[in-house]
Amino acid sequence: MKLLFIGDIVGAPGRKAVKEVLPDLRARHDLDVVIANGENSAGGNGITPDKAADIFAAGVDIITCGDHLWDQRDVIGLLDSEPRFVRPINYPPGTPGQGSTVLEREGLPPVGIINAQGRTFMRGDLENPFLAVREEVKRLAPKAPVIFVDFHAEATSEKIAMGRMLDGEVSAVVGTHTHVQTADEIIFPGGTAFLCDAGFTGPHDSVLGRDWEPVVQRFLTSQPHRFPVAKSRVLLQGVVIEVDGATGRAMAVERVSEGLAE
Ligand SMILES: [Fe+2]
Ligand SMILES: [Fe+2]
């Protein structure tokens, strides 16, 4: 089976890229499952039920999130009642929403999806993601032969360590959050596909999806600035992973960086 994971969708340009590029990718790669990180889909900050509906309508099966989870008040609608929305699992017990889900579809093995958030160079108030993910993999493994982990983290070391810990336990570990696609795709010896960062889906004539001029001003002046979502050179970025549905082992991993016609 083939799975596409789409890196952080940024604003309206990112949503447009998913809508317009995904059908072609689906045909070309014969995709079975599409997972996307949606933490920046609402104007760059967070996600709302409306924006999630757009993304689902474009063909995404499951949306994951990250540190921008709480940027939009309306996210609570997704946390409370959207079974296709997954937030980082390492929030304290009692936090609304779910840190994983299992996608069941006719003709496919059940696919577990776990989202976790790193702690190195990030807000440090979440639980240990390594312990949380290890526990969750144990819980999901008996019912889902294929498990995908979106590890939303800043440090390459933390992400690689997560991939190594889970080698042979899950089908793939892919990083998000830095918005810069890395070129280190690999299948570890135990059969787990890994990529440090999937990149982002949105305008790349920018700093991580925002107009670059105010970001430069911010660094020059140390004063706050507004960071509007940029407009041009829109790319859908992510990774296609081919998995043996019976064993859960990854067989191929291929980065995607696909332009939207302007
Ligand atoms: Fe992001
Ligand atoms: Fe993030």
Side-chain angles (χ1 to χ4, degrees):
M1 60 171 293
K2 273 184 157 184
L3 184 157
L4 168 68
F5 177 72
I6 299 174
D8 305 29
I9 299 168
V10 177
R15 300 197 309 274
K16 183 168 184 229
V18 176
K19 189 172 168 199
E20 296 192 9
V21 178
L22 184 51
D24 182 46
L25 282 177
R26 185 185 295 282
R28 214 182 323 148
H29 291 281
D30 201 12
L31 299 173
D32 297 297
V33 173
V34 181
I35 303 162
N37 185 298
E39 73 148 6
N40 306 108
S41 56
N45 300 314
I47 184 165
T48 62
D50 277 10
K51 307 304 184 231
D54 273 7
I55 295 167
F56 289 133
V60 171
D61 300 301
I62 301 291
I63 299 177
T64 56
C65 207
D67 56 312
H68 285 281
L69 177 64
W70 305 105
D71 289 359
Q72 304 286 337
R73 180 186 296 255
D74 290 353
V75 75
I76 197 69
L78 291 171
L79 291 167
D80 283 345
S81 56
E82 176 51 75
R84 297 169 293 175
F85 182 70
V86 183
R87 53 127 174 100
I89 193 163
N90 48 328
Y91 274 94
T95 303
Q98 56 184 359
S100 75
T101 190
V102 176
L103 177 69
E104 312 236 22
R105 183 176 294 162
E106 183 98 22
L108 282 184
V111 179
I113 294 101
I114 303 173
N115 186 199
Q117 186 171 313
R119 298 198 296 186
T120 305
F121 308 135
M122 297 184 79
R123 273 180 49 194
D125 52 357
L126 297 191
E127 315 271 350
N128 185 322
F130 290 83
L131 295 176
V133 170
R134 198 168 59 177
E135 276 307 299
E136 194 64 4
V137 167
K138 244 184 246 164
R139 200 178 70 82
L140 292 184
K143 50 185 166 185
V146 177
I147 297 178
F148 176 87
V149 178
D150 168 2
F151 189 29
H152 196 78
E154 179 74 35
T156 48
S157 59
E158 195 177 13
K159 298 197 231 193
I160 296 167
M162 179 65 81
R164 287 287 179 180
M165 180 186 79
L166 295 174
D167 183 24
E169 308 291 327
V170 304
S171 304
V173 177
V174 176
T176 52
H177 177 68
T178 71
H179 290 205
V180 176
Q181 188 175 72
T182 55
D184 60 333
E185 69 272 26
I186 187 171
I187 297 174
F188 289 137
T192 297
F194 177 81
L195 178 67
C196 239
D197 207 292
F200 81 95
T201 295
H204 280 246
D205 186 3
S206 68
V207 175
L208 311 185
R210 310 306 182 104
D211 280 336
W212 60 265
E213 295 89 342
V215 180
V216 172
Q217 283 308 309
R218 161 80 175 268
F219 281 111
L220 279 171
T221 66
S222 300
Q223 291 168 25
H225 286 78
R226 286 189 171 279
F227 299 141
V229 170
K231 292 185 179 64
S232 32
R233 205 163 78 81
V234 178
L235 302 177
L236 184 153
Q237 291 194 320
V239 60
V240 172
I241 297 156
E242 189 176 357
V243 179
D244 179 330
T247 62
R249 284 181 78 100
M251 299 189 295
V253 52
E254 182 186 340
R255 276 180 288 131
V256 170
S257 186
E258 198 78 22
L260 173 65
E262 292 194 15

